[in-house]
Amino acid sequence: MKEFFKLVFASALGVILSSFILVIFSIVALVAVISVAGKDRKAEVSANSVLYINLNHPISERSIKNPLENLTFMGYENNNIGLNDILAGIKKAETDDNITGIYLNAAGLTAGYATIEEIRNALLHFKKTGKFIIAYSEVYTQAAYYLASVANKVYLNPEGIVDFRGLSSQITFFKDALNKLDIEVQVIKVGTYKSAVEPFILDKMSEPNRLQVKSFLGSMYTHMIQKVAESRHLPTDSVHAISYNAKMRNAADALKYKMVDGLRYKDEVLDELKTLTDIPSDKSIKSISIEKYAPTEDEKKSSSDNIVALVYATGEIISGEGDDEKIGSERISKTLRKVRTDDDVKAVVLRINSPGGSSLASDVIWREVMLTKKVKPVIVSMGNVAASGGYYIACAADSIFAQPNTITGSIGVFGLIPNMQRFFNNKLGITFDGVQTGLFSTTGNFTKPLNDAEKLIIQKEVDRIYNTFTQRVADA
């Protein structure tokens, strides 16, 4: 029996050691793969190549560094490429003699109109080189068509469609649902057009909100119609009529109204690309994707002592560190302090794409922008949206630039405090009781309603923040 246990123990120990060694080997191998994959590898481009831009993915402000971005795993390729690299890739292609043109696939485009505008402008600049742009899709959404309309040739599948019916905005209202649940949302705000609270207290848009949405949506729509008309060499009134009356109901309609240049199957488009790039019909097109073609980190590096720093502020504004999808006041402040004290940095571009957020966090960032502006120029570039706190941090800059379809403004302040007392009492049979040491110790507790004194305190603070906000804008 003793020998038996020795044998079992030895076997178990052997299995454990083998497993441990295997894990260590796997980690070392993975680190080696990541190390190799993470290295910038300059794209090799053959003569007479086509730059393939496939935008069938969400487009973030910038590419997120991923050590596995150069790997293909089980057929999956990482297509994470941000607006910054898309624009840089198009610009790079302008002077690359090996790139003869662009093949654009915007079928699954998911991006705001200001982002699309930037890509569209880059493609328009690319066209000035005399190189071609061919766009093809089975289905064009309105956003995808707006981008594709810049192409020399816009092709559509013979059974495809172009969705070009105008812009709309729809808001979901929760008031009646909250009433059924016995939940009251207590709103304290200032600013007639500060509409973010409306879904919780109304069952339809207020007239001021309807007015402002109609205004900016109409502005964006007019701009889109004008730009499409220019690109398609059509009268603006004709393009408006096509959109307003939804005249393009099938592929034949799109061709009839000259919104596309031809109805093609993909093989026919590929054949045309071969002709344009002098490739024999029995050979494959030489192409490179925008993901692989975009400039590497090494290519982006500059030896100049005159640097313009680009600082990204993307997402909701919060206190703390934040991340690539949230604007943390600490993180942005550290970055601004760093570029402010760097003698090689001669100017700062602050790229903002934010719906707003914490007024306190916004003020912290505002302060750093103001301090930086005293040392070197600060220029704000607005993306899809720079509203509320997004405008707060922008107003301190020397200059502010936005796209025609950027949504910005919304200078107002609000607070939302739910009162769920009746929900707990009537729906769940839960009650609360306790003690407090001050008149306002429980202010903001969602298990009871605010009293008049509490509402007055909060309202005064909201008014104070609003006055600070408006003063910041007025001074700037």
Side-chain angles (χ1 to χ4, degrees):
M1 182 64 72
K2 187 175 181 180
E3 292 298 321
F4 171 76
F5 281 115
K6 283 183 178 180
L7 183 62
V8 171
F9 177 75
S11 300
L13 183 61
V15 171
I16 293 172
L17 288 174
S18 298
S19 299
F20 179 74
I21 292 171
L22 181 62
V23 169
I24 295 298
F25 177 78
S26 299
I27 291 174
V28 171
L30 181 60
V31 169
V33 169
I34 290 176
S35 177
V36 172
K39 291 180 179 178
D40 281 331
R41 291 182 287 182
K42 190 172 181 179
E44 295 182 4
V45 186
S46 303
N48 294 331
S49 290
V50 173
L51 178 60
Y52 178 45
I53 302 179
N54 180 5
L55 300 178
N56 188 20
H57 56 82
I59 301 174
S60 57
E61 280 291 320
R62 58 174 169 169
S63 302
I64 306 301
K65 291 182 180 179
N66 181 354
L68 300 178
E69 63 186 355
N70 293 317
L71 291 181
T72 300
F73 179 70
M74 295 180 66
Y76 170 78
E77 289 188 25
N78 176 46
N79 287 326
N80 171 43
I81 183 169
L83 176 62
N84 62 328
D85 282 334
I86 293 172
L87 300 180
I90 296 171
K91 184 175 181 62
K92 177 182 173 183
E94 291 180 6
T95 55
D96 188 340
D97 293 335
N98 289 326
I99 297 295
T100 56
I102 289 175
Y103 174 39
L104 176 65
N105 176 12
L109 180 63
T110 305
Y113 275 93
T115 294
I116 295 169
E117 191 79 15
E118 300 226 27
I119 300 173
R120 199 175 188 277
N121 289 339
L123 292 173
L124 283 170
H125 197 270
F126 175 87
K127 281 176 67 177
K128 293 180 181 179
T129 64
K131 299 180 181 183
F132 67 81
I133 301 176
I134 300 292
Y136 174 74
S137 183
E138 295 175 5
V139 176
Y140 287 105
T141 63
Q142 191 155 242
Y145 181 78
Y146 180 53
L147 179 61
S149 64
V150 303
N152 297 92
K153 297 291 183 182
V154 180
Y155 292 128
L156 176 67
N157 183 282
E159 294 301 316
I161 58 173
V162 178
D163 185 1
F164 195 71
R165 297 173 289 128
L167 303 178
S168 65
S169 175
Q170 182 171 293
I171 301 171
T172 302
F173 292 87
F174 307 102
K175 179 188 174 185
D176 290 344
L178 292 171
N179 287 343
K180 290 179 180 179
L181 294 171
D182 273 344
I183 296 175
E184 174 194 12
V185 177
Q186 302 163 110
V187 174
I188 298 173
K189 71 161 189 166
V190 59
T192 304
Y193 294 90
K194 197 68 178 179
S195 60
V197 301
E198 290 188 0
F200 305 101
I201 59 175
L202 301 176
D203 56 10
K204 62 181 181 180
M205 298 171 73
S206 68
E207 285 308 310
N209 189 30
R210 187 180 300 278
L211 176 64
Q212 70 176 351
V213 174
K214 185 176 180 180
S215 176
F216 72 69
L217 205 63
S219 175
M220 293 169 64
Y221 177 65
T222 298
H223 177 77
M224 180 180 70
I225 294 296
Q226 289 174 344
K227 291 300 179 181
V228 169
E230 287 177 14
S231 295
R232 297 303 303 167
H233 306 292
L234 295 170
T236 302
D237 290 346
S238 298
V239 176
H240 179 269
I242 291 168
S243 170
Y244 189 81
N245 296 299
K247 290 185 176 182
M248 286 193 294
R249 298 167 192 177
N250 52 51
D253 290 336
L255 184 62
K256 172 185 174 183
Y257 293 112
K258 300 181 180 179
M259 297 293 275
V260 298
D261 295 287
L263 305 183
R264 301 277 192 277
Y265 287 101
K266 190 169 185 177
D267 63 286
E268 295 174 301
V269 176
L270 295 178
D271 286 342
E272 182 169 337
L273 287 171
K274 289 179 183 179
T275 300
L276 289 170
T277 55
D278 296 323
I279 301 295
S281 59
D282 59 339
K283 301 293 183 181
S284 298
I285 297 170
K286 296 176 184 178
S287 66
I288 184 167
S289 69
I290 188 72
E291 288 83 5
K292 293 180 180 178
Y293 183 76
T296 64
E297 290 303 315
D298 287 338
E299 289 178 283
K300 292 177 185 177
K301 287 179 181 176
S302 171
S303 58
S304 172
D305 292 335
N306 298 317
I307 297 172
V308 176
L310 177 55
V311 179
Y312 284 91
T314 304
E316 180 187 359
I317 302 173
I318 61 171
S319 295
E321 284 298 316
D323 52 36
D324 288 322
E325 297 180 353
K326 283 188 173 62
I327 303 171
S329 58
E330 281 297 309
R331 191 183 194 195
I332 297 296
S333 294
K334 287 177 188 175
T335 303
L336 289 172
R337 284 195 291 271
K338 181 179 178 181
V339 299
R340 184 166 70 240
T341 56
D342 188 335
D343 292 336
D344 289 340
V345 174
K346 306 305 181 185
V348 179
V349 173
L350 179 59
R351 174 68 174 185
I352 300 174
N353 194 348
S354 171
S358 164
S359 59
L360 174 57
S362 298
D363 195 69
V364 169
I365 298 171
W366 169 88
R367 170 68 176 176
E368 294 297 332
V369 175
M370 286 293 292
L371 292 174
T372 304
K373 184 173 72 169
K374 292 178 180 179
V375 179
K376 54 196 67 176
V378 179
I379 310 299
V380 161
S381 167
M382 292 179 171
N384 293 315
V385 60
S388 195
Y391 192 82
Y392 197 130
I393 66 177
C395 73
D398 291 287
S399 298
I400 299 173
F401 295 93
Q403 293 295 340
N405 31 32
T406 295
I407 298 174
T408 187
S410 188
I411 300 171
V413 182
F414 69 88
L416 293 175
I417 302 175
N419 168 24
M420 302 181 69
Q421 184 182 66
R422 289 183 300 174
F423 170 74
F424 285 119
N425 293 174
N426 302 338
K427 303 298 182 182
L428 302 181
I430 297 174
T431 57
F432 301 88
D433 198 4
V435 296
Q436 62 190 76
T437 59
L439 290 174
F440 302 101
S441 298
T442 60
T443 299
N445 190 324
F446 60 83
T447 63
K448 72 175 191 66
L450 294 169
N451 60 42
D452 291 340
E454 290 171 323
K455 288 180 180 178
L456 183 60
I457 288 175
I458 299 173
Q459 184 67 61
K460 284 184 176 180
E461 282 305 293
V462 167
D463 291 343
R464 181 188 62 78
I465 295 169
Y466 177 71
N467 290 334
T468 300
F469 189 175
T470 53
Q471 192 64 53
R472 298 279 192 245
V473 175
D475 291 342

